[in-house]
Amino acid sequence: MNKVTSIPDNFLIELPINKEQERIFIEQINRFNELSNKKIELKSLKRDEKEKLFLPKGTMIHGISGFNLEKLESIKRTGIITGQAFGIPEDGETYYCADFYRVDKDMSMEEFNREFEF
């Protein structure tokens, strides 16, 4: 696989970036491309004593709104990356990033989800 040497033209740059940020972007694109060609086996999911999905402290988790099969297929194809890589403008939260949460203590998925109920 050829390494990229510049940010792809279809990547939406909404805010100015400096040379160091550009270098990091290019490095991350190349790392993503390299990893996307590797077969990575997931560890088996853990369950707690109530058979609920268990998230150990430090687990990184990404949420999506409005779950549907199309979104899941997109994640399977491209991974979890910023929409700006596809020309989709940022909604004002975190430019050039995909948002993840780090679980701060051992808990079930159900407990984690309750922390985000409105």
Side-chain angles (χ1 to χ4, degrees), residues 6-111:
S6 62
I7 297 173
D9 291 336
N10 64 339
F11 195 105
L12 179 62
I13 301 295
E14 294 183 84
L15 298 174
I17 59 173
N18 63 37
K19 289 292 182 191
E20 177 67 5
Q21 292 165 325
E22 182 177 358
R23 183 193 65 76
I24 291 168
F25 265 154
I26 293 167
E27 180 182 294
Q28 289 177 341
I29 291 167
N30 285 316
R31 184 179 304 137
F32 176 85
N33 290 338
E34 181 182 333
L35 290 173
S36 67
N37 290 317
K38 293 186 182 232
K39 182 175 170 108
I40 299 172
E41 293 190 28
L42 300 175
K43 296 178 183 178
S44 61
L45 299 175
K46 297 180 182 178
R47 299 194 178 273
D48 68 11
E49 64 281 350
K50 296 178 184 174
E51 290 299 307
K52 306 251 184 214
L53 181 61
F54 177 75
L55 304 173
K57 178 181 179 177
T59 299
M60 300 279 297
I61 194 163
H62 175 78
I64 60 172
S65 60
F67 172 82
N68 64 48
L69 197 52
E70 185 179 315
K71 285 182 183 179
L72 194 57
E73 286 293 331
S74 175
I75 291 170
K76 179 181 172 186
R77 269 190 320 277
T78 63
I80 299 170
I81 58 178
T82 179
Q84 291 160 310
F86 303 103
I88 300 169
E90 175 54 49
D91 61 8
E93 281 183 23
T94 51
Y95 289 84
Y96 313 126
C97 297
D99 298 324
F100 284 81
Y101 299 95
R102 186 177 303 276
V103 177
D104 62 358
K105 63 182 179 182
D106 291 349
M107 66 176 73
S108 71
M109 185 71 182
E110 180 179 59
E111 291 172 295

